[in-house]
Amino acid sequence: MAEKKFPKDFVWGSATASYQVEGSPLADGAGPSIWHRFSHTPGTTHEGETGDVACDHYNRYKEDIKLMKSLGLKGYRFSISWSRIFPNGKGKINEKGVDFYNRVIDELLKNEITPFVTIYHWDLPAALQDIGGWTNRDIANWFGDYADYLFQRFGDRVKHWITLNEPWVMAFIGHMYGEHAPGMRDIYAAFAVAHNELRAHSKAVEAFRSEGIKGKIGITLSNGSHDPATDSTQDVLAARVTHEFSNYPLFLNPIFKGKYPEHIENFEKEFLPKGYEKDMDEIKRPIDFVGINYYSGDVVKADPSSPMGVKIMGRGLPKTEMGWEIYPEGFYKILKGVQDEYNPKEVYVTENGAAFDDKVEDGAVHDQKRIDYLRDHISQAHRALEDGVKLKGYFVWSLMDNFEWAFGYSKRFGITYIDYKTQKRILKDSAKWYANVISKNAVE
Ligand code: FCB
């Protein structure tokens, strides 16, 4: 098969998030986050698992960066735990939290790995939840101040910033379906959260510009390829509504165009917070790149009997351990779609990867299915590049197995296997395969 070459400066990386890998959530003066509180609440996670130890990255970050170096990674996307820096979410600063991220950043730079920092990956300080969390309009300022502080402390060395990770998931899985922290089930709250996330994102971008940081700032959005089940007008509309609601348009339409997507205004207006229109001018603000996360695709049927008016179905394709169908072509559609619809200056794939039931055999993990998944998806990313998508980098989810939120440690997404009993790291075959992709700057 022909080799698909990537551009010279293409950033090959891997991604993680603070609560999923660090462990030691309360160490050195950190305050509890909503994920600490949620996972310690009975009945919320797989077998009651928590992020108390996770991959112990808080203590083993040097070893992990060595591992990244051995794979030839050019970039590492990680998130900062808000409550390590501000234990109460605002006010008092915890220098020891700042020190930890200084050590991580310096170690990365020493190894010539570019840090991509996610300012917020779901672990809100619990103290802010007690005053309404993301449903409180004041959070735009709390978040703006927190982000501004990060720019002041790390902006000399960190040049790539992501304001929020997957605001849709945080709003709806956390506040409407109740499966993630803070475990609320209220559709009005969920839309208010999405709206406040946009306002908070905008405050952070404003602070970034006024600090004059020489770098780039963007936002990372969750996506699935939602295609119409048939070409009937109803199914086409149902798929479009699903796309606008749960993919990049819900956030990029306000950011790029200063209004919610057409069908959100048509069908969901009732749920948006009163007077939301007044905020739209402020939300519309240029960003430097868009981060795209993609895992899976499905098909959508109009279904008036269901609450959202749609029925989401599979195509009968093979699935990952998450039960998500493997649909690489959808990755192309999402990447092409975001460029066509909003024409961002740059696009990064900030997450893509798969969970499989990995087994250690004689000290190795032969995860051929993950290799196939990554090869097929990276090929589709290449196709998007050739068709004009301004794709600048690709970050595999994840560097290592970790705490998969409500699924605890039962799902393994890593290219590195973690033996949780010993904290031993074992490079899976997919890690070796990925190292080869990086060194050739090409996929077969
Ligand atoms: C994304 C999250 C990430 C991880 C992957 C599997 O939704 O951003 O933290 O859980 O899914």
Side-chain angles (χ1 to χ4, degrees):
M1 240 204 245
E3 221 180 43
K4 301 184 176 92
K5 264 280 187 211
F6 282 77
K8 178 160 105 322
D9 299 324
F10 198 77
V11 183
W12 294 104
S14 70
T16 64
S18 45
Y19 192 74
Q20 295 181 275
V21 299
E22 288 175 358
S24 309
L26 304 180
D28 299 328
S33 73
I34 56 172
W35 264 98
H36 180 73
R37 186 182 270 184
F38 186 74
S39 65
H40 279 266
T41 303
T44 56
T45 66
H46 172 77
E47 294 182 358
E49 288 164 346
T50 72
D52 286 3
V53 179
C55 311
D56 194 29
H57 178 72
Y58 190 73
N59 297 306
R60 295 169 196 260
Y61 69 92
K62 273 198 181 158
E63 181 189 337
D64 292 334
I65 293 173
K66 213 186 219 170
L67 202 134
M68 296 176 210
K69 180 76 181 168
S70 78
L71 298 176
L73 295 192
K74 310 267 183 256
Y76 175 52
R77 172 180 178 232
F78 63 99
S79 78
I80 289 184
S81 158
W82 187 339
S83 57
R84 285 199 197 282
I85 312 275
F86 292 95
N88 299 313
K90 53 195 171 101
K92 194 183 101 231
I93 286 151
N94 178 35
E95 265 316 309
K96 287 197 167 151
V98 177
D99 288 348
F100 170 63
Y101 293 107
N102 269 330
R103 292 198 297 275
V104 171
I105 291 164
D106 291 343
E107 190 69 17
L108 286 168
L109 293 173
K110 207 169 91 192
N111 285 282
E112 295 169 311
I113 298 169
T114 306
F116 279 65
V117 169
T118 310
I119 297 171
Y120 182 81
H121 199 127
W122 306 351
D123 43 359
L124 187 75
L128 296 182
Q129 190 61 45
D130 292 337
I131 47 175
W134 285 98
T135 67
N136 186 332
R137 276 183 67 85
D138 291 345
I139 196 150
N141 291 321
W142 306 333
F143 182 76
D145 292 348
Y146 157 58
D148 195 8
Y149 189 69
L150 300 189
F151 303 145
Q152 291 170 25
R153 298 301 299 268
F154 308 127
D156 56 334
R157 287 154 295 153
V158 175
K159 303 298 174 196
H160 296 83
W161 295 87
I162 294 158
T163 54
L164 302 173
N165 176 71
E166 298 194 351
W168 185 87
V169 173
M170 206 210 319
F172 292 92
I173 308 294
H175 298 81
M176 184 168 87
Y177 295 108
E179 291 160 11
H180 280 185
M184 273 175 80
R185 291 178 55 81
D186 176 343
I187 190 171
Y188 291 84
F191 272 95
V193 167
H195 188 67
N196 286 335
E197 287 173 316
L198 278 163
R199 295 177 47 246
H201 155 86
S202 170
K203 286 274 184 219
V205 177
E206 186 184 12
F208 186 76
R209 304 289 183 224
S210 60
E211 291 290 349
I213 306 291
K214 289 190 188 59
K216 295 182 177 175
I217 191 161
I219 186 169
T220 278
L221 305 165
S222 52
N223 300 280
S225 180
H226 304 300
D227 302 306
T230 71
D231 52 18
S232 76
T233 327
Q234 295 91 319
D235 289 354
V236 170
L237 178 63
R240 180 69 205 173
V241 175
T242 307
H243 172 69
E244 289 186 3
F245 168 61
S246 62
N247 287 342
Y248 56 80
L250 184 65
F251 298 94
L252 293 191
N253 218 77
I255 292 172
F256 282 80
K257 301 186 177 167
K259 52 185 171 39
Y260 280 104
E262 185 189 346
H263 297 304
I264 298 301
E265 297 230 300
N266 288 348
F267 300 119
E268 323 276 353
K269 200 182 173 96
E270 162 194 0
F271 304 118
L272 285 165
K274 277 210 175 56
Y276 74 89
E277 294 91 343
K278 291 198 286 291
D279 299 321
M280 300 315 281
D281 274 352
E282 211 195 318
I283 288 170
K284 183 177 174 204
R285 193 185 286 284
I287 54 174
D288 304 308
F289 65 86
V290 168
I292 290 291
N293 292 356
Y294 176 85
Y295 290 92
S296 178
D298 47 43
V299 291
V300 185
K301 247 196 126 28
D303 178 10
S305 72
S306 86
M308 305 293 276
V310 301
K311 190 170 162 199
I312 310 253
M313 303 178 314
R315 288 183 172 80
L317 296 171
K319 294 176 179 164
T320 67
E321 270 296 294
M322 295 298 282
W324 299 344
E325 283 197 357
I326 303 174
Y327 185 55
E329 206 181 328
F331 192 28
Y332 170 82
K333 292 183 194 171
I334 290 291
L335 290 169
K336 186 75 170 73
V338 77
Q339 195 71 58
D340 289 349
E341 287 183 67
Y342 298 103
N343 197 23
K345 287 185 237 163
E346 297 186 343
V347 177
Y348 284 93
V349 171
T350 40
E351 286 180 28
N352 173 241
F356 288 110
D357 186 15
D358 301 314
K359 296 274 177 283
V360 183
E361 297 166 60
D362 296 328
V365 180
H366 303 304
D367 57 339
Q368 187 58 41
K369 285 188 192 161
R370 184 173 291 101
I371 295 177
D372 294 343
Y373 180 100
L374 295 176
R375 193 209 317 100
D376 293 349
H377 284 78
I378 294 173
S379 297
Q380 292 292 334
H382 186 269
R383 184 179 158 208
L385 248 172
E386 289 203 312
D387 286 353
V389 177
K390 295 173 188 151
L391 187 63
K392 302 294 173 194
Y394 173 95
F395 291 76
V396 66
W397 185 271
S398 173
L399 173 68
M400 52 194 169
D401 297 336
N402 58 49
F403 177 77
E404 179 47 36
W405 309 114
F407 294 95
Y409 299 99
S410 68
K411 305 290 180 222
R412 293 181 176 273
F413 272 93
I415 55 172
T416 308
Y417 185 94
I418 302 281
D419 178 344
Y420 291 107
K421 285 201 194 78
T422 61
Q423 287 296 341
K424 193 170 174 272
R425 276 90 168 119
I426 302 169
L427 291 181
K428 300 181 191 177
D429 287 357
S430 59
K432 299 172 192 163
W433 174 87
Y434 190 49
N436 191 44
V437 169
I438 299 172
S439 79
K440 287 194 173 145
N441 199 29
V443 71
E444 302 257 308

